[in-house]
Amino acid sequence: MSRVGTIILDNNYANPRVIIVDKPNCLRALDLTTDNDPIRTFQLKEEDVFIIKYRGKQLDGRSVSLASVSGIYNLNIREIGVLSKNAYYMLLRKFNSHQVMQGANSLGFLEVREDVQGQILELGKRLIK
C-alpha cells in the first residue's frame, strides 16, 4: 500500500510532513508550517485532511511548504492523517508549478520530479473520469 498523501510525525522533527514519494528505502516529504504565504505554501483546509487516531493540535492552522523536499530516514514515524485525493492532486500541481517557477534546479525537486509528474498525470486521469 502506498503512503503518498499521508501526514506523518517524525521523532526527529517538530513539524509534521506530507509524504509525496514512496519508494523502497526512499521516502520524500514536504514540511507543514504555520507560515501562510500564498506563494510559498499550499493552504490546507479542514475538509482536506482526514485525521487518523490523532488528538493533538499539530494540524491546526498548517500549510504545506513548497520550498524544499526533505528525505525521511527514520523508520519510527507515526501516521496522523491523510490528504483527500483532490487536495493531494492540487498540492502536487502547486508544488510542481512553484518549483518550475523557481528554476527547477533544486536538488530535492530534481530527485522527485519524475515521480511527482507521473502522479499528477495519473491522478488527473482518475479525477476526470
Side-chain angles (χ1 to χ4, degrees):
M1 184 175 148
S2 179
R3 292 188 280 187
V4 294
T6 303
I7 301 171
I8 61 163
L9 279 177
D10 187 352
N11 292 340
N12 298 331
Y13 296 95
N15 290 332
R17 298 172 170 189
V18 177
I19 297 174
I20 60 170
V21 174
D22 183 16
K23 287 185 177 178
N25 302 326
C26 179
L27 289 176
R28 299 286 185 237
L30 299 173
D31 292 334
L32 271 68
T33 64
T34 55
D35 184 17
N36 289 325
D37 182 11
I39 295 172
R40 292 180 291 158
T41 61
F42 175 74
Q43 307 295 323
L44 286 179
K45 298 178 188 133
E46 191 172 319
E47 62 268 7
D48 292 340
V49 179
F50 302 111
I51 298 173
I52 304 172
K53 297 179 186 176
Y54 180 71
R55 288 185 242 154
K57 295 186 178 188
Q58 291 278 1
L59 298 177
D60 294 345
R62 295 289 181 144
S63 304
V64 181
S65 173
L66 305 172
S68 65
V69 178
S70 56
I72 300 172
Y73 302 105
N74 186 1
L75 298 177
N76 188 14
I77 57 176
R78 179 177 167 205
E79 297 179 0
I80 61 171
V82 177
L83 291 179
S84 67
K85 284 186 181 181
N86 288 337
Y88 183 66
Y89 175 66
M90 295 302 294
L91 169 65
L92 288 180
R93 283 186 52 206
K94 186 154 182 173
F95 169 68
N96 193 42
S97 298
H98 175 76
Q99 289 294 327
V100 168
M101 185 177 69
Q102 296 297 322
N105 58 3
S106 163
L107 181 61
F109 175 69
L110 293 175
E111 289 177 348
V112 300
R113 179 182 60 192
E114 290 180 27
D115 294 321
V116 167
Q117 290 173 350
Q119 288 180 45
I120 290 172
L121 291 174
E122 184 179 319
L123 285 169
K125 288 178 186 176
R126 284 187 194 169
L127 293 175
I128 291 174
K129 290 182 182 180

